[in-house]
Amino acid sequence: MRQLPGRPALDERVLVVGAGPVGSVLALELARHGVGSTVVDRSTAAPAFPKMDYLNGRTMELLRRLGLADEVRRGGVDTRLRSDFIWTDTLTRPPIATWHYPAPDTLAGELGEVDDGSAPLEVYQRIPGSLLENLLRRRLREHPLVDLREGWTFTDLDERPSGVVASLVARDGGARHTLHARYLAGCDGANSVVRQCRGIPMPAAGPVTSRCSVYFTSADPLLRRHGRAFVTVGAKGITLVSRDEEDTWTASFQVPTDEPFVGDPVEVMHDMLGAEFTVDEVMGVGQWQGSLAVASRYRVGPVFLAGDAAHQFYPFGGHGANTGIADAVDLGWKLAGAVHGWGGDRLLDSYEAERRPVALFNREMSADLLEVWGRFVRLAADGASRGHIGGFLDRESHQLDNLGVHFGYRYTSSPVVVHEPGPAPRWDWHRIEPTTWPGGRAPSVRLSSGTALFDRFGTGFTLVDLTGTGAGEVAVKEALGQGIPMERLAVDEAAVRAVWERDLVLVRPDQHVAWRGDTVPDDWSAVLDVVCGR
């Protein structure tokens, strides 16, 4: 085998396997911190068949840091449209129940009036996964610190003391190459070859099912007879997703395990939705496994897993891509710290310590919503009345009111957070609890100028200084002297003081709090050692 053309024998870049949303965000996060990467993907373009279509508000905050939020909104579904869930036994009658979810513009307007730290800076956005991936790949192609190799397949790896030697096959003639990288990140999906190469188990919580998805277009008004809906859930076990709020749809239903689907997908949709409607074009039919699984490890030496390679959820609930993009941001700034030399090995270990518990929690949230869906199907099959089923579904409609799930996770077991004694502030499923308790996301507030505080944070660490005396200057100077990227942000704003709880708060590159206090401690160097994992 020979090396990649134009690359030296030892390449200090990070190798990212997979150019989906997770791998692309990881590469862009690395570039944000001045670290180059090589990204390889077996496909030469984004897939036409969309795998995701919902970015929650926390994900949009993370993309905003990368300068992507506005472009995502321009390419996404009209932000004036609601994202309701309709539960139905047949499209020919009114729904059994409807879960109403406000449009992004409506939410932004309501939350924009709140400035006590309990509101997000960004709200959710729907965008077909294929469009998001096209946007991200375009950014990768344009970035001077990213070497995107489309049509290159990762096949194997060999760990060395200096890093990883990856085996790759190029699309042109099938030539085999090797690349020596300091670190390798497997962002290569549910059937991750990287995960298989490292022998990392992926235990599933509950049964694994086989499902078929039909990607089609239809302008038939029957599909909107009872109003617009993001997701239509059929009582026979089918889900119908509006991809673009125009004519593009995906239907998904369970099929026998380990057997290829050979039926007519249109006939199946007609039967399971209880009505015949015109399908203009079937653009694709795919079969996939549904599971609730989290990898037993996220790191083995210089090899890391992120996204679907590390965790798999049913798409019902939107946890998959959002958890994965947050993985990419967390891993990206930590790999940058290791490459630049200011981060220690504990910083890399903290990736698993922080992100795996979030995945385990989100697995249960996905299971919770999946159980509602399953009970709906069983109740309908058992002959329960529409009124009883509707009452049950109305009780469960809180599933969509989950700001705390998306924004409120805290890294309580992280080795790179200076934890405090005593009970943590309460966590609320429905709202964001504004607090600078270490490990959690810092509260978002707007300054008197109208600027978002989050937009004032630096690329590296930011020491928010509310002392009014410049007390944080010496702390930042010491950090910079040790090569740690840190900026001091002096703030004298009532809105910030009201919710930030301490005069000095150290915010990490991912907007989570690493440390807080009212004065710079005598052992500040020890604090730096903790947050840098040294």
Side-chain angles (χ1 to χ4, degrees):
M1 291 191 288
R2 58 184 185 273
Q3 297 162 216
L4 284 173
R7 294 290 172 207
L10 178 60
D11 191 336
E12 286 297 318
R13 288 174 171 239
V14 176
L15 174 61
V16 179
V17 181
V22 174
S24 295
V25 168
L26 174 56
L28 293 172
E29 181 69 22
L30 287 164
R32 185 173 190 256
H33 298 281
V35 174
S37 63
T38 298
V39 182
V40 297
D41 195 285
R42 68 178 60 198
S43 66
T44 57
F49 196 88
K51 298 178 182 178
M52 53 75 60
D53 48 19
Y54 175 85
L55 299 176
N56 66 38
R58 178 59 185 148
T59 298
M60 291 300 293
E61 287 184 345
L62 295 174
L63 295 180
R64 180 180 177 126
R65 298 163 51 262
L66 298 172
L68 293 167
D70 289 343
E71 191 170 358
V72 167
R73 293 205 189 279
R74 286 195 296 271
V77 171
D78 190 333
T79 55
R80 297 169 297 180
L81 300 178
R82 300 173 60 96
S83 296
D84 292 346
F85 279 49
I86 283 179
W87 303 78
T88 183
D89 53 356
T90 171
L91 295 179
T92 60
R93 320 197 258 184
I96 295 174
T98 300
W99 289 358
H100 296 290
Y101 198 63
D105 283 357
T106 302
L107 272 179
E110 294 173 352
L111 296 172
E113 302 297 320
V114 179
D115 201 29
D116 62 359
S118 66
L121 177 57
E122 294 279 352
V123 297
Y124 79 94
Q125 175 63 52
R126 288 167 55 194
I127 181 171
S130 51
L131 295 183
L132 176 65
E133 194 165 324
N134 272 324
L135 183 163
L136 293 172
R137 285 198 187 213
R138 185 170 66 250
R139 288 292 187 99
L140 296 187
R141 296 185 191 108
E142 295 169 352
H143 206 294
L145 288 177
V146 179
D147 177 15
L148 175 61
R149 303 269 176 154
E150 296 174 282
W152 288 66
T153 301
F154 168 86
T155 60
D156 203 356
L157 65 87
D158 183 22
E159 186 176 334
R160 304 285 176 83
S162 56
V164 176
V165 176
S167 300
L168 304 165
V169 177
R171 68 175 183 269
D172 298 329
R176 297 178 67 82
H177 303 269
T178 60
L179 173 68
H180 189 173
R182 186 169 171 184
Y183 300 105
L184 184 150
C187 306
D188 51 339
N191 298 315
S192 171
V193 177
V194 174
R195 187 183 68 243
Q196 295 171 25
C197 286
R198 301 314 291 156
I200 300 174
M202 189 82 165
V208 176
T209 63
S210 184
R211 298 190 65 81
C212 180
S213 289
V214 186
Y215 186 40
F216 68 98
T217 59
S218 173
D220 195 320
L222 179 64
L223 295 177
R224 301 197 190 279
R225 180 175 179 180
H226 303 293
R228 290 183 176 273
F230 173 26
V231 179
T232 299
V233 187
K236 289 187 176 181
I238 189 171
T239 57
L240 181 66
V241 177
S242 172
R243 290 295 181 180
D244 56 6
E245 287 296 345
E246 294 180 2
D247 299 335
T248 308
W249 309 81
T250 299
S252 174
F253 48 86
Q254 188 168 331
V255 295
T257 304
D258 299 326
E259 293 182 19
F261 174 73
V262 294
D264 183 340
V266 175
E267 287 185 4
V268 173
M269 290 191 295
H270 287 169
D271 174 66
M272 299 188 82
L273 288 168
E276 293 192 5
F277 52 89
T278 301
V279 172
D280 299 319
E281 179 185 3
V282 174
M283 295 182 289
V285 179
Q287 200 161 331
W288 50 277
Q289 282 193 330
S291 67
L292 296 168
V294 176
S296 60
R297 301 184 65 182
Y298 277 26
R299 178 192 184 190
V300 177
V303 178
F304 300 81
L305 301 178
D308 285 354
H311 44 74
Q312 295 160 29
F313 312 126
Y314 283 83
F316 205 52
H319 291 292
N322 292 288
T323 307
I325 288 173
D327 291 344
V329 170
D330 189 284
L331 180 59
W333 74 264
K334 291 172 180 177
L335 285 174
V339 170
H340 288 312
W342 56 262
D345 201 56
R346 282 194 304 115
L347 184 65
L348 297 181
D349 282 340
S350 74
Y351 166 63
E352 178 178 316
E354 292 184 353
R355 295 304 306 165
R356 189 167 182 271
V358 173
L360 291 169
F361 182 86
N362 287 346
R363 181 190 68 186
E364 299 309 312
M365 297 303 96
S366 181
D368 198 19
L369 190 53
L370 189 65
E371 180 60 23
V372 174
W373 177 82
R375 286 178 175 173
F376 167 60
V377 173
R378 292 192 296 271
L379 285 168
D382 291 342
S385 71
R386 285 169 56 89
H388 281 153
I389 298 174
F392 159 71
L393 292 170
D394 287 344
R395 187 195 68 178
E396 297 294 336
S397 62
H398 70 277
Q399 298 275 356
L400 298 186
D401 183 18
N402 53 8
L403 279 180
V405 175
H406 296 158
F407 292 87
Y409 54 83
R410 298 172 184 148
Y411 297 138
T412 56
S413 302
S414 175
V416 296
V417 168
V418 181
H419 299 287
E420 297 181 1
R426 68 186 295 270
W427 177 81
D428 192 313
W429 173 294
H430 302 291
R431 69 186 300 271
I432 300 170
E433 293 291 338
T435 178
T436 53
W437 185 264
R441 166 189 167 276
S444 170
V445 294
R446 290 199 174 273
L447 305 178
S448 56
S449 63
T451 302
L453 180 62
F454 276 20
D455 291 342
R456 297 284 305 278
F457 294 163
T459 302
F461 289 92
T462 301
L463 184 62
V464 178
D465 188 343
L466 291 155
T467 63
T469 64
E473 290 181 4
V474 64
V476 172
K477 184 177 180 180
E478 183 173 346
L480 294 174
Q482 297 183 28
I484 302 168
M486 188 179 295
E487 297 180 19
R488 171 178 167 266
L489 177 59
V491 178
D492 184 15
E493 297 265 353
V496 180
R497 289 184 180 280
V499 295
W500 272 59
E501 301 171 323
R502 299 292 188 275
D503 286 341
L504 295 167
V505 180
L506 183 62
V507 181
R508 310 185 328 178
D510 57 1
Q511 301 166 341
H512 282 251
V513 174
W515 168 89
R516 65 180 185 173
D518 290 322
T519 60
V520 179
D522 294 336
D523 61 347
W524 177 245
S525 184
V527 170
L528 296 178
D529 285 344
V530 170
V531 301
C532 295
R534 300 185 302 202

